[in-house]
Amino acid sequence: MMYKIQTLNNISDVIHQSLTAERYLIAKEEPVPDGILVRSASMHDMDLPDSLLAIARAGAGTNNIPIDECTKRGIVVFNTPGANANAVAELVICGLMLGSRNVAGGIDWARTLDGQGAEVAKLVEKGKAQFAGPEVRGKTLGVIGLGAIGALVANAAAQGLGMNVIGYDPFISVESAWSLSRAIKRSSSVDEIYQSADYITVHVPLTDATRGMFGAASIAQMKDGVHLLNFSRAELADAQALAAALESGKVASYVTDFPTQDVLKMKNAIAIPHLGASTPESEVNCADMAARELRDYLEDGQIRNSVNFPEIILGHSEGVRVLIIHENEPGMVSAISAAIGARKININNMLNKSRRDMAVTVLELDREPDDMLQTQLKALPGVIRLRIPAKG
């Protein structure tokens, strides 16, 4: 079987290592794609074809994809968490220095000396004191969110910069926990971070709970002269409260990778133009991971790093593999099993996993279901999509 893949942005050629020409037709204008590879292009106004089985976003954020519509139609949406982690972490460390030493302000001021000729050196020596800032060694860095990026930042600060690092993440994964240096201290609450840290960096997704987390109440708990870093989402900071804290000096600097009109007007705010993942290495890593996610789902039915369906990790097929996406309702598995059993087909293996309102049931059958059985299964109340992955 030849799978058709549409690309909505320029994607690294590394995708061809997984999506080989023998099995995949890749084109920008493919009208009936089985899968879509996308970076930043908005898909909210797209008419998603009935042929579409999966979308892979070469990056972490998926706000450019209509997730709810995809979920209702059984379209699996993938992202690539961790693929750009090193690129972002390096920029966070850069931002730590930029904010602490007021490097950006000093550079802007130095440019105003253009035209002073031989006097430039003297003027620099006379004016540099206004840009003095503290060293980070021996200071305390609070890291909120210890996922792929947060863990790298915490380790670099503790091991490379000599900082005292405290981290907070109530949802930390086993993988991230294993990756952390022993020098990093676990905080029992986010309030402890606010009250103890000289520098605070946040690495959490934007949710109702995290929106405006850098606000009046949290800033009031912080040390005077604290430095804040936000390389996650602009909305994590309350603009009004942050502006007031920067103006008063309660917050010494705010470094973010998400410029907004409000931030651009703030005193001692450094707005980086969303450069976190803008490295050639990151783009290659994201494209490679996205391509592998599409391949594994289309060919084997595996679901890894989906934002709207449960993780389905499968071994070697023990027969004909059938994938059924359905609503997470009682009795679904029984109804599916009964329909198959009535046709005298053995189920060699079965896996059912759910995620909120949606579920995926994977069946290993001793023979392929005929058209009549497939039609019967698709007609079951709550079934959204049925497919039989084909390797080629």
Side-chain angles (χ1 to χ4, degrees):
M1 178 177 179
M2 180 70 73
Y3 289 109
K4 299 176 181 179
I5 306 297
Q6 182 180 11
T7 57
L8 300 185
N9 300 98
N10 291 327
I11 304 288
S12 168
D13 288 341
V14 72
I15 63 173
H16 297 291
Q17 294 180 12
S18 296
L19 308 178
T20 60
E22 291 79 16
R23 295 180 179 173
Y24 292 88
L25 176 63
I26 302 174
K28 291 184 178 180
E29 304 298 330
E30 174 55 53
V32 286
D34 299 293
I36 288 177
L37 281 168
V38 61
R39 288 173 58 198
S40 58
S42 176
M43 299 183 63
H44 288 282
D45 295 327
M46 282 185 62
D47 291 326
L48 303 180
D50 292 337
S51 63
L52 186 60
L53 300 173
I55 299 168
R57 156 81 163 100
T62 54
N63 56 357
N64 58 324
I65 300 171
I67 303 296
D68 290 343
E69 179 185 356
C70 290
T71 303
K72 292 175 183 177
R73 295 177 56 181
I75 300 169
V76 182
V77 179
F78 300 95
N79 68 347
T80 57
N84 59 11
N86 187 71
V88 178
E90 286 186 359
L91 195 64
V92 173
I93 297 300
C94 175
L96 183 68
M97 299 304 179
L98 288 173
S100 187
R101 301 289 295 273
N102 198 4
V103 175
I107 291 173
D108 289 342
W109 174 78
R111 291 186 182 280
T112 69
L113 304 180
D114 183 30
Q116 298 296 321
E119 294 299 308
V120 169
K122 294 180 180 179
L123 292 171
V124 164
E125 290 304 313
K126 183 178 179 180
K128 68 181 182 181
Q130 61 187 304
F131 304 106
E135 298 178 16
V136 301
R137 179 175 291 275
K139 306 300 192 306
T140 298
L141 172 67
V143 182
I144 303 173
L146 293 165
I149 297 170
L152 286 174
V153 171
N155 286 342
Q159 297 172 339
L161 300 179
M163 301 187 77
N164 302 313
V165 180
I166 55 176
Y168 175 74
D169 190 336
F171 308 108
I172 189 170
S173 68
V174 173
E175 183 177 354
S176 292
W178 275 106
S179 72
L180 289 173
S181 164
R182 293 183 179 180
I184 296 163
K185 298 179 181 178
R186 177 179 175 270
S187 175
S188 59
S189 71
V190 71
D191 290 338
E192 183 180 347
I193 298 283
Y194 293 149
Q195 295 162 13
S196 305
D198 304 297
Y199 302 80
I200 300 174
T201 181
V202 59
H203 301 283
V204 299
L206 177 64
T207 65
D208 290 341
T210 61
R211 187 181 300 272
M213 62 183 296
F214 284 166
S218 59
I219 291 174
Q221 298 184 63
M222 298 177 189
K223 289 184 175 182
D224 292 342
V226 67
H227 298 264
L228 302 181
L229 298 98
N230 175 9
F231 285 73
S232 294
R233 284 292 181 267
E235 295 84 357
L236 297 178
D238 180 297
Q240 185 175 355
L242 182 61
L246 285 165
E247 187 64 35
S248 70
K250 174 69 177 182
V251 174
S253 70
Y254 176 64
V255 186
T256 183
D257 203 24
F258 296 90
T260 65
Q261 181 60 44
D262 290 330
V263 168
L264 293 175
K265 297 186 295 184
M266 291 180 190
K267 176 183 178 182
N268 293 330
I270 299 173
I272 299 170
H274 201 187
L275 299 181
S278 296
T279 68
E281 295 87 351
S282 174
E283 292 182 8
V284 168
N285 291 341
C286 288
D288 180 49
M289 183 182 290
R292 285 187 282 113
E293 290 166 347
L294 271 186
R295 177 200 63 196
D296 291 346
Y297 178 65
L298 294 176
E299 296 185 11
D300 293 324
Q302 298 206 68
I303 301 176
R304 191 189 299 271
N305 297 324
S306 171
V307 301
N308 61 340
F309 284 98
E311 185 169 275
I312 302 289
I313 306 302
L314 304 167
H316 177 71
S317 177
E318 299 178 6
V320 177
R321 181 168 289 168
V322 178
L323 194 82
I324 302 176
I325 295 175
H326 56 85
E327 296 173 0
N328 186 24
E329 296 289 343
M332 288 299 303
V333 174
S334 297
I336 292 169
S337 300
I340 294 172
R343 301 301 294 274
K344 307 300 182 184
I345 297 178
N346 287 327
I347 300 176
N348 298 330
N349 203 355
M350 176 187 291
L351 175 66
N352 172 268
K353 296 188 72 173
S354 63
R355 180 171 181 173
R356 294 187 289 273
D357 297 332
M358 305 305 298
V360 178
T361 297
V362 183
L363 305 158
E364 304 282 355
L365 307 181
D366 62 358
R367 59 187 170 90
E368 185 168 333
D370 57 28
D371 291 343
M372 183 177 295
L373 177 55
Q374 291 187 44
T375 300
Q376 185 180 354
L377 290 170
K378 291 176 184 178
L380 290 174
V383 169
I384 298 171
R385 171 163 259 158
L386 179 147
R387 57 181 301 255
I388 302 174
K391 284 177 175 280

mmCIF file of all heavy atoms in Angstrom, residues 175-209:
data_model
loop_
_atom_site.group_PDB
_atom_site.id
_atom_site.type_symbol
_atom_site.label_atom_id
_atom_site.label_comp_id
_atom_site.label_asym_id
_atom_site.label_seq_id
_atom_site.Cartn_x
_atom_site.Cartn_y
_atom_site.Cartn_z
ATOM 1 N N GLU A 175 11.065 9.219 33.478
ATOM 2 C CA GLU A 175 12.219 9.505 32.612
ATOM 3 C C GLU A 175 12.890 10.811 33.004
ATOM 4 O O GLU A 175 14.119 10.895 33.094
ATOM 5 C CB GLU A 175 11.763 9.553 31.152
ATOM 6 C CG GLU A 175 12.894 9.770 30.161
ATOM 7 C CD GLU A 175 12.420 9.750 28.715
ATOM 8 O OE1 GLU A 175 11.225 9.455 28.486
ATOM 9 O OE2 GLU A 175 13.245 10.028 27.836
ATOM 10 N N SER A 176 12.081 11.858 33.244
ATOM 11 C CA SER A 176 12.653 13.144 33.638
ATOM 12 C C SER A 176 13.306 13.055 35.007
ATOM 13 O O SER A 176 14.375 13.636 35.238
ATOM 14 C CB SER A 176 11.569 14.222 33.647
ATOM 15 O OG SER A 176 11.107 14.496 32.348
ATOM 16 N N ALA A 177 12.681 12.341 35.916
ATOM 17 C CA ALA A 177 13.243 12.202 37.260
ATOM 18 C C ALA A 177 14.616 11.543 37.224
ATOM 19 O O ALA A 177 15.548 11.961 37.922
ATOM 20 C CB ALA A 177 12.280 11.404 38.136
ATOM 21 N N TRP A 178 14.748 10.508 36.385
ATOM 22 C CA TRP A 178 16.038 9.823 36.269
ATOM 23 C C TRP A 178 17.111 10.728 35.666
ATOM 24 O O TRP A 178 18.302 10.560 35.935
ATOM 25 C CB TRP A 178 15.887 8.572 35.409
ATOM 26 C CG TRP A 178 15.426 7.365 36.159
ATOM 27 C CD1 TRP A 178 14.193 6.793 36.135
ATOM 28 C CD2 TRP A 178 16.201 6.573 37.065
ATOM 29 N NE1 TRP A 178 14.141 5.698 36.970
ATOM 30 C CE2 TRP A 178 15.360 5.530 37.551
ATOM 31 C CE3 TRP A 178 17.514 6.627 37.518
ATOM 32 C CZ2 TRP A 178 15.797 4.580 38.462
ATOM 33 C CZ3 TRP A 178 17.949 5.663 38.419
ATOM 34 C CH2 TRP A 178 17.099 4.661 38.880
ATOM 35 N N SER A 179 16.688 11.689 34.841
ATOM 36 C CA SER A 179 17.659 12.537 34.143
ATOM 37 C C SER A 179 18.189 13.673 35.005
ATOM 38 O O SER A 179 19.174 14.319 34.643
ATOM 39 C CB SER A 179 17.028 13.122 32.879
ATOM 40 O OG SER A 179 16.069 14.121 33.200
ATOM 41 N N LEU A 180 17.558 13.924 36.151
ATOM 42 C CA LEU A 180 17.951 15.059 36.979
ATOM 43 C C LEU A 180 19.200 14.775 37.796
ATOM 44 O O LEU A 180 19.386 13.668 38.330
ATOM 45 C CB LEU A 180 16.817 15.446 37.926
ATOM 46 C CG LEU A 180 15.591 16.112 37.300
ATOM 47 C CD1 LEU A 180 14.504 16.281 38.342
ATOM 48 C CD2 LEU A 180 15.963 17.455 36.689
ATOM 49 N N SER A 181 20.037 15.797 37.915
ATOM 50 C CA SER A 181 21.215 15.708 38.766
ATOM 51 C C SER A 181 20.790 15.582 40.232
ATOM 52 O O SER A 181 19.771 16.138 40.659
ATOM 53 C CB SER A 181 22.075 16.966 38.597
ATOM 54 O OG SER A 181 23.019 17.085 39.640
ATOM 55 N N ARG A 182 21.597 14.878 41.010
ATOM 56 C CA ARG A 182 21.319 14.751 42.437
ATOM 57 C C ARG A 182 21.440 16.083 43.157
ATOM 58 O O ARG A 182 20.945 16.236 44.288
ATOM 59 C CB ARG A 182 22.279 13.742 43.056
ATOM 60 C CG ARG A 182 22.078 12.301 42.596
ATOM 61 C CD ARG A 182 23.025 11.370 43.314
ATOM 62 N NE ARG A 182 22.839 9.980 42.901
ATOM 63 C CZ ARG A 182 23.541 8.961 43.381
ATOM 64 N NH1 ARG A 182 24.501 9.191 44.287
ATOM 65 N NH2 ARG A 182 23.306 7.732 42.964
ATOM 66 N N ALA A 183 22.100 17.036 42.534
ATOM 67 C CA ALA A 183 22.287 18.337 43.170
ATOM 68 C C ALA A 183 20.999 19.168 43.192
ATOM 69 O O ALA A 183 20.904 20.146 43.930
ATOM 70 C CB ALA A 183 23.382 19.118 42.436
ATOM 71 N N ILE A 184 20.014 18.775 42.403
ATOM 72 C CA ILE A 184 18.775 19.540 42.325
ATOM 73 C C ILE A 184 17.847 19.131 43.457
ATOM 74 O O ILE A 184 17.546 17.953 43.647
ATOM 75 C CB ILE A 184 18.097 19.315 40.958
ATOM 76 C CG1 ILE A 184 19.012 19.857 39.858
ATOM 77 C CG2 ILE A 184 16.737 20.004 40.903
ATOM 78 C CD1 ILE A 184 18.690 19.354 38.491
ATOM 79 N N LYS A 185 17.389 20.116 44.209
ATOM 80 C CA LYS A 185 16.530 19.855 45.355
ATOM 81 C C LYS A 185 15.066 19.914 44.942
ATOM 82 O O LYS A 185 14.666 20.766 44.150
ATOM 83 C CB LYS A 185 16.801 20.879 46.455
ATOM 84 C CG LYS A 185 18.224 20.826 46.996
ATOM 85 C CD LYS A 185 18.455 21.877 48.061
ATOM 86 C CE LYS A 185 19.884 21.834 48.585
ATOM 87 N NZ LYS A 185 20.133 22.895 49.600
ATOM 88 N N ARG A 186 14.293 19.008 45.485
ATOM 89 C CA ARG A 186 12.868 18.936 45.173
ATOM 90 C C ARG A 186 12.098 19.886 46.076
ATOM 91 O O ARG A 186 12.238 19.867 47.292
ATOM 92 C CB ARG A 186 12.355 17.507 45.352
ATOM 93 C CG ARG A 186 10.865 17.356 45.127
ATOM 94 C CD ARG A 186 10.457 15.899 45.303
ATOM 95 N NE ARG A 186 9.017 15.730 45.199
ATOM 96 C CZ ARG A 186 8.184 15.798 46.222
ATOM 97 N NH1 ARG A 186 8.660 16.059 47.437
ATOM 98 N NH2 ARG A 186 6.888 15.624 46.055
ATOM 99 N N SER A 187 11.275 20.713 45.445
ATOM 100 C CA SER A 187 10.421 21.621 46.198
ATOM 101 C C SER A 187 9.050 20.984 46.375
ATOM 102 O O SER A 187 8.529 20.328 45.471
ATOM 103 C CB SER A 187 10.280 22.951 45.455
ATOM 104 O OG SER A 187 9.369 23.803 46.128
ATOM 105 N N SER A 188 8.455 21.179 47.544
ATOM 106 C CA SER A 188 7.148 20.579 47.828
ATOM 107 C C SER A 188 5.991 21.411 47.315
ATOM 108 O O SER A 188 4.858 20.943 47.250
ATOM 109 C CB SER A 188 6.988 20.369 49.339
ATOM 110 O OG SER A 188 7.096 21.615 50.028
ATOM 111 N N SER A 189 6.258 22.658 46.934
ATOM 112 C CA SER A 189 5.185 23.522 46.435
ATOM 113 C C SER A 189 5.764 24.615 45.564
ATOM 114 O O SER A 189 6.949 24.980 45.684
ATOM 115 C CB SER A 189 4.401 24.152 47.589
ATOM 116 O OG SER A 189 5.192 25.127 48.251
ATOM 117 N N VAL A 190 4.921 25.165 44.706
ATOM 118 C CA VAL A 190 5.365 26.271 43.866
ATOM 119 C C VAL A 190 5.607 27.512 44.713
ATOM 120 O O VAL A 190 6.448 28.357 44.376
ATOM 121 C CB VAL A 190 4.336 26.532 42.744
ATOM 122 C CG1 VAL A 190 3.053 27.134 43.306
ATOM 123 C CG2 VAL A 190 4.910 27.438 41.668
ATOM 124 N N ASP A 191 4.900 27.633 45.829
ATOM 125 C CA ASP A 191 5.111 28.783 46.713
ATOM 126 C C ASP A 191 6.530 28.800 47.260
ATOM 127 O O ASP A 191 7.120 29.874 47.455
ATOM 128 C CB ASP A 191 4.107 28.749 47.874
ATOM 129 C CG ASP A 191 2.688 29.029 47.425
ATOM 130 O OD1 ASP A 191 2.514 29.634 46.351
ATOM 131 O OD2 ASP A 191 1.741 28.631 48.136
ATOM 132 N N GLU A 192 7.092 27.619 47.513
ATOM 133 C CA GLU A 192 8.472 27.549 47.993
ATOM 134 C C GLU A 192 9.434 28.103 46.949
ATOM 135 O O GLU A 192 10.417 28.780 47.287
ATOM 136 C CB GLU A 192 8.830 26.106 48.335
ATOM 137 C CG GLU A 192 10.224 25.940 48.918
ATOM 138 C CD GLU A 192 10.558 24.501 49.247
ATOM 139 O OE1 GLU A 192 9.635 23.660 49.266
ATOM 140 O OE2 GLU A 192 11.756 24.210 49.474
ATOM 141 N N ILE A 193 9.145 27.829 45.688
ATOM 142 C CA ILE A 193 9.963 28.396 44.605
ATOM 143 C C ILE A 193 9.872 29.913 44.641
ATOM 144 O O ILE A 193 10.888 30.621 44.591
ATOM 145 C CB ILE A 193 9.490 27.878 43.238
ATOM 146 C CG1 ILE A 193 9.633 26.350 43.127
ATOM 147 C CG2 ILE A 193 10.227 28.593 42.109
ATOM 148 C CD1 ILE A 193 11.012 25.860 42.885
ATOM 149 N N TYR A 194 8.650 30.421 44.698
ATOM 150 C CA TYR A 194 8.455 31.873 44.698
ATOM 151 C C TYR A 194 9.212 32.547 45.835
ATOM 152 O O TYR A 194 9.804 33.607 45.664
ATOM 153 C CB TYR A 194 6.963 32.206 44.822
ATOM 154 C CG TYR A 194 6.115 31.807 43.632
ATOM 155 C CD1 TYR A 194 4.784 31.441 43.808
ATOM 156 C CD2 TYR A 194 6.645 31.789 42.344
ATOM 157 C CE1 TYR A 194 3.990 31.078 42.721
ATOM 158 C CE2 TYR A 194 5.865 31.422 41.261
ATOM 159 C CZ TYR A 194 4.536 31.062 41.455
ATOM 160 O OH TYR A 194 3.757 30.700 40.382
ATOM 161 N N GLN A 195 9.195 31.926 46.999
ATOM 162 C CA GLN A 195 9.753 32.563 48.191
ATOM 163 C C GLN A 195 11.267 32.408 48.308
ATOM 164 O O GLN A 195 11.916 33.216 48.972
ATOM 165 C CB GLN A 195 9.081 31.970 49.435
ATOM 166 C CG GLN A 195 7.594 32.268 49.528
ATOM 167 C CD GLN A 195 6.855 31.348 50.477
ATOM 168 O OE1 GLN A 195 7.476 30.622 51.266
ATOM 169 N NE2 GLN A 195 5.531 31.346 50.414
ATOM 170 N N SER A 196 11.853 31.408 47.639
ATOM 171 C CA SER A 196 13.261 31.087 47.861
ATOM 172 C C SER A 196 14.199 31.486 46.741
ATOM 173 O O SER A 196 15.405 31.643 46.964
ATOM 174 C CB SER A 196 13.410 29.573 48.096
ATOM 175 O OG SER A 196 12.590 29.126 49.150
ATOM 176 N N ALA A 197 13.681 31.633 45.526
ATOM 177 C CA ALA A 197 14.561 31.735 44.358
ATOM 178 C C ALA A 197 14.947 33.176 44.024
ATOM 179 O O ALA A 197 14.147 34.110 44.156
ATOM 180 C CB ALA A 197 13.887 31.088 43.156
ATOM 181 N N ASP A 198 16.183 33.319 43.572
ATOM 182 C CA ASP A 198 16.651 34.604 43.031
ATOM 183 C C ASP A 198 16.291 34.721 41.554
ATOM 184 O O ASP A 198 16.129 35.826 41.030
ATOM 185 C CB ASP A 198 18.174 34.709 43.181
ATOM 186 C CG ASP A 198 18.617 34.533 44.619
ATOM 187 O OD1 ASP A 198 18.239 35.368 45.458
ATOM 188 O OD2 ASP A 198 19.341 33.544 44.905
ATOM 189 N N TYR A 199 16.208 33.579 40.889
ATOM 190 C CA TYR A 199 15.848 33.490 39.475
ATOM 191 C C TYR A 199 14.772 32.401 39.358
ATOM 192 O O TYR A 199 14.877 31.354 39.993
ATOM 193 C CB TYR A 199 17.055 33.111 38.613
ATOM 194 C CG TYR A 199 18.218 34.062 38.719
ATOM 195 C CD1 TYR A 199 19.099 33.984 39.792
ATOM 196 C CD2 TYR A 199 18.447 35.046 37.745
ATOM 197 C CE1 TYR A 199 20.170 34.859 39.914
ATOM 198 C CE2 TYR A 199 19.514 35.920 37.852
ATOM 199 C CZ TYR A 199 20.365 35.824 38.946
ATOM 200 O OH TYR A 199 21.420 36.699 39.053
ATOM 201 N N ILE A 200 13.755 32.643 38.539
ATOM 202 C CA ILE A 200 12.681 31.668 38.365
ATOM 203 C C ILE A 200 12.424 31.474 36.877
ATOM 204 O O ILE A 200 12.223 32.452 36.145
ATOM 205 C CB ILE A 200 11.378 32.119 39.053
ATOM 206 C CG1 ILE A 200 11.595 32.295 40.560
ATOM 207 C CG2 ILE A 200 10.259 31.104 38.798
ATOM 208 C CD1 ILE A 200 10.387 32.880 41.285
ATOM 209 N N THR A 201 12.454 30.233 36.436
ATOM 210 C CA THR A 201 12.144 29.927 35.041
ATOM 211 C C THR A 201 10.989 28.935 35.007
ATOM 212 O O THR A 201 10.934 27.996 35.806
ATOM 213 C CB THR A 201 13.381 29.367 34.305
ATOM 214 O OG1 THR A 201 13.041 29.097 32.944
ATOM 215 C CG2 THR A 201 13.907 28.106 34.952
ATOM 216 N N VAL A 202 10.049 29.156 34.099
ATOM 217 C CA VAL A 202 8.838 28.347 34.063
ATOM 218 C C VAL A 202 8.776 27.542 32.768
ATOM 219 O O VAL A 202 9.029 28.067 31.683
ATOM 220 C CB VAL A 202 7.580 29.237 34.226
ATOM 221 C CG1 VAL A 202 7.496 30.282 33.129
ATOM 222 C CG2 VAL A 202 6.316 28.401 34.255
ATOM 223 N N HIS A 203 8.465 26.245 32.904
ATOM 224 C CA HIS A 203 8.411 25.345 31.745
ATOM 225 C C HIS A 203 7.192 24.425 31.891
ATOM 226 O O HIS A 203 7.315 23.223 32.137
ATOM 227 C CB HIS A 203 9.703 24.530 31.656
ATOM 228 C CG HIS A 203 10.912 25.389 31.536
ATOM 229 N ND1 HIS A 203 11.279 25.998 30.365
ATOM 230 C CD2 HIS A 203 11.806 25.806 32.478
ATOM 231 C CE1 HIS A 203 12.363 26.731 30.574
ATOM 232 N NE2 HIS A 203 12.693 26.629 31.842
ATOM 233 N N VAL A 204 6.018 25.028 31.773
ATOM 234 C CA VAL A 204 4.757 24.296 31.915
ATOM 235 C C VAL A 204 3.850 24.660 30.750
ATOM 236 O O VAL A 204 3.993 25.719 30.131
ATOM 237 C CB VAL A 204 4.054 24.640 33.252
ATOM 238 C CG1 VAL A 204 4.929 24.255 34.430
ATOM 239 C CG2 VAL A 204 3.687 26.122 33.307
ATOM 240 N N PRO A 205 2.884 23.795 30.418
ATOM 241 C CA PRO A 205 1.932 24.128 29.355
ATOM 242 C C PRO A 205 0.945 25.187 29.820
ATOM 243 O O PRO A 205 0.747 25.395 31.032
ATOM 244 C CB PRO A 205 1.226 22.793 29.083
ATOM 245 C CG PRO A 205 1.342 22.049 30.379
ATOM 246 C CD PRO A 205 2.672 22.442 30.957
ATOM 247 N N LEU A 206 0.323 25.850 28.875
ATOM 248 C CA LEU A 206 -0.701 26.836 29.193
ATOM 249 C C LEU A 206 -2.024 26.121 29.428
ATOM 250 O O LEU A 206 -2.565 25.465 28.538
ATOM 251 C CB LEU A 206 -0.847 27.846 28.050
ATOM 252 C CG LEU A 206 -1.942 28.899 28.228
ATOM 253 C CD1 LEU A 206 -1.634 29.788 29.422
ATOM 254 C CD2 LEU A 206 -2.098 29.731 26.961
ATOM 255 N N THR A 207 -2.537 26.233 30.643
ATOM 256 C CA THR A 207 -3.830 25.670 31.000
ATOM 257 C C THR A 207 -4.591 26.721 31.812
ATOM 258 O O THR A 207 -4.054 27.792 32.137
ATOM 259 C CB THR A 207 -3.671 24.395 31.851
ATOM 260 O OG1 THR A 207 -3.072 24.740 33.118
ATOM 261 C CG2 THR A 207 -2.791 23.367 31.148
ATOM 262 N N ASP A 208 -5.815 26.403 32.163
ATOM 263 C CA ASP A 208 -6.576 27.321 33.018
ATOM 264 C C ASP A 208 -5.867 27.522 34.352
ATOM 265 O O ASP A 208 -5.921 28.611 34.940
ATOM 266 C CB ASP A 208 -7.983 26.772 33.257
ATOM 267 C CG ASP A 208 -8.844 26.819 32.003
ATOM 268 O OD1 ASP A 208 -8.502 27.593 31.071
ATOM 269 O OD2 ASP A 208 -9.850 26.094 31.940
ATOM 270 N N ALA A 209 -5.175 26.485 34.831
ATOM 271 C CA ALA A 209 -4.496 26.566 36.123
ATOM 272 C C ALA A 209 -3.207 27.382 36.064
ATOM 273 O O ALA A 209 -2.806 27.997 37.060
ATOM 274 C CB ALA A 209 -4.201 25.166 36.646
#
